[in-house]
Amino acid sequence: MTAEIIDGKAFAAGLRERVGAAVPAFHKASGRAPGLAVVLVGEDPASQVYVRSKGKATLAAGMQSFEHKLPASVSQDDLIAVVEALNADDMVDGILVQLPLPPQIDEKAVIATIDPMKDVDGFHVVNAGKLAVGEEALVPCTPLGCLMLLKDKLGSLSGLNAVVIGRSNIVGKPMAQLLLQESCTVTVAHSRTKDLPDVVRRADIVVAAVGRPEMVKGDWIKPGATVIDVGINRVPAAEDGKTRLVGDVDYASAAEAASAITPVPGGVGPMTIAVLLRNTLVAAHRRVGLAPPAGL
Ligand code: NDP
């Protein structure tokens, strides 16, 4: 079997379009466009690229983008004061503090300061708790994007065996909660899991969020399974000494066994920003007491 490619880039473009198409009605009802504030601390080149592309995508969707750049030496109190000011700003519906933060800053304390109604990254414990108990929450963008791709491909996920490899707060754990809500039978694997290949072989759905290049091999994949590769790893390219991007799944061998698979790049990656815009639109509606548009 050669797997069908799950085109996250195309799905993300469609989602961004749907979000953009819903902005004028929000504007009409509330008198303003939804607003997303992104806080960048320091000069990390990868973070700068992410923040720039988030700002561009926000404007392209017709929303307002607010960027706050702070020096790497900023104190925790000063960063928290910026977040508090954004909490109080009515033009701001979503607040995203780009991670990682410099070592003098306690990430948890900063995230805890974000108003949960504006927590478009879904990292605040209030949103994590609401997701766990099945209440309306803002859900972390990457796992929600993975779920959208899975539902688009498979329809109902009810009763399927799902294995999530990775238990981070930003990907693995919320992914497992989302799959459980869809009535999957969920196994969460991690670095202490015994006989990981055997655990993965039982899965109808495999979500790999490990951060280890091409770790999941094709002979771990149950024939016909659907594979979602969250990994983004830069590795040296054999030919020219440059680097290339690979996922956590050995794409070539896994594509022989799976029925559908996300490529890297062009799979999960583009979904993250698209879902961020979606979450901002949803947060904006909830903050002014409007129902978010259906179908997002
Ligand atoms: P973390 O490093 O926070 O978590 C990695 C998880 O993988 C941990 O739970 C760890 O287990 C587990 N793990 C590590 N080694 C093994 C192993 N040998 N066998 C089984 N499990 C293992 O990473 P993130 O969740 O933040 O990210 C995971 C990947 O997803 C990365 O490649 C990252 O770049 C990518 N990513 C992509 C995004 C996107 O937009 N597409 C967004 C976010 C992340 P333990 O808990 O026991 O240590």
Side-chain angles (χ1 to χ4, degrees):
M1 175 181 298
T2 300
E4 190 186 333
I5 295 170
I6 299 175
D7 188 346
K9 202 171 163 191
F11 191 97
L15 177 57
R16 282 166 63 160
E17 239 178 80
R18 293 197 295 283
V19 169
V23 166
F26 176 84
H27 200 306
K28 200 168 168 209
S30 69
R32 63 178 181 84
L36 172 64
V38 179
V39 181
L40 173 65
V41 180
E43 314 261 294
D44 177 59
S47 295
Q48 282 178 331
V49 171
Y50 290 142
V51 166
R52 214 174 305 130
S53 44
K54 283 167 187 170
K56 267 194 188 156
T58 307
L59 294 173
M63 299 186 187
Q64 297 197 76
S65 169
F66 309 99
E67 268 182 35
H68 293 263
K69 291 189 177 158
L70 303 171
S73 59
V74 72
S75 70
Q76 181 164 314
D77 286 351
D78 286 352
L79 174 55
I80 283 179
V82 169
V83 173
E84 281 170 343
L86 294 172
N87 283 344
D89 185 343
D90 262 346
M91 301 298 276
V92 173
D93 299 292
I95 302 171
L96 182 152
V97 179
Q98 184 66 44
L99 303 178
L101 293 170
Q104 76 275 14
I105 292 172
D106 175 4
E107 271 180 19
K108 279 189 188 158
V110 175
I111 291 168
T113 308
I114 298 172
D115 176 350
M117 295 286 287
K118 297 188 177 187
D119 171 38
V120 283
D121 253 343
F123 295 163
H124 194 289
V125 287
V126 165
N127 281 312
K130 285 185 172 179
L131 176 63
V133 297
E135 281 180 25
E136 184 179 275
L138 285 166
V139 176
C141 302
T142 302
L144 184 53
C146 294
L147 184 75
M148 288 176 179
L149 294 178
L150 281 167
K151 287 176 77 169
D152 183 57
K153 188 53 54 194
L154 298 172
S156 168
L157 310 183
S158 178
L160 297 178
N161 282 332
V163 169
V164 179
I165 318 174
R167 56 174 164 179
S168 72
N169 290 335
I170 64 172
V171 189
K173 280 182 200 157
M175 188 74 243
Q177 296 289 0
L178 287 169
L179 291 165
L180 194 56
Q181 265 180 17
E182 296 298 323
S183 299
C184 290
T185 303
V186 183
T187 304
V188 183
H190 44 78
S191 66
R192 311 289 171 89
T193 297
K194 290 195 176 123
D195 200 353
L196 183 61
D198 191 49
V199 171
V200 175
R201 264 181 218 117
R202 286 180 242 147
D204 305 304
I205 294 170
V206 180
V207 181
V210 195
R212 293 188 182 264
E214 300 176 319
M215 187 188 83
V216 177
K217 306 299 180 198
D219 63 358
W220 302 13
I221 304 296
K222 175 174 160 180
T226 301
V227 178
I228 304 290
D229 189 351
V230 183
I232 301 178
N233 309 288
R234 208 165 265 290
V235 297
E239 321 82 57
D240 52 8
K242 291 189 184 151
T243 58
R244 63 190 177 104
L245 277 188
V246 298
D248 292 340
V249 176
D250 178 25
Y251 183 85
S253 66
E256 291 296 308
S259 65
I261 186 167
T262 57
V264 177
V268 174
M271 291 300 292
T272 300
I273 290 185
V275 177
L276 175 67
L277 301 178
R278 179 258 177 214
N279 280 357
T280 303
L281 185 72
V282 167
H285 279 77
R286 288 184 187 151
R287 287 187 60 248
V288 299
L290 292 170
L296 292 177

